[in-house]
Amino acid sequence: MPVNIKKPSPVALLTVLAAVSATLVTATPAAAGVSGRSHLAAACGMYRDGDATMYKNCTGAGENIFVTYLLGGNTYFCVPAGESRYVGRWSNVFRVYNRGGC
């Protein structure tokens, strides 16, 4: 038994496209604002840059950080004010602790 599939009319298709477009236009600014704030909040301290673990110091003084690794020894780094420092591969860095000024 054949099934007849009715194609939507051009007016119905345009109505659906207009509704989807209106939803996207009104939803995009809110989503962009949230992701923008998330990106700014994540910019300080430990963050991922590809396969690299970076630490950004957003304070006005140098920070002495202690980095713990999943494999290998742990180490200290001094990160000058307003600068970022590579601290290891993302897959190997466990945590970064702020130990005061340097």
Side-chain angles (χ1 to χ4, degrees):
M1 177 174 199
V3 177
N4 291 331
I5 299 174
K6 184 178 178 184
K7 289 186 178 182
S9 71
V11 173
L13 187 58
L14 287 174
T15 303
V16 170
L17 288 174
V20 169
S21 297
T23 302
L24 292 175
V25 167
T26 58
T28 301
V34 170
S35 66
R37 285 190 297 267
S38 300
H39 176 68
L40 292 176
C44 297
M46 185 176 89
Y47 66 95
R48 182 177 187 169
D49 186 10
D51 190 38
T53 304
M54 304 294 292
Y55 184 88
K56 183 171 183 181
N57 179 359
C58 294
T59 68
E63 289 183 344
N64 186 25
I65 60 171
F66 180 67
V67 182
T68 58
Y69 298 98
L70 297 172
L71 302 171
N74 303 323
T75 189
Y76 286 92
F77 292 101
C78 180
V79 183
E83 293 189 18
S84 294
R85 176 162 179 106
Y86 171 81
V87 296
R89 292 185 59 191
W90 182 257
S91 59
N92 192 33
V93 174
F94 180 66
R95 286 233 168 97
V96 176
Y97 302 93
N98 186 337
R99 296 292 187 198
C102 55

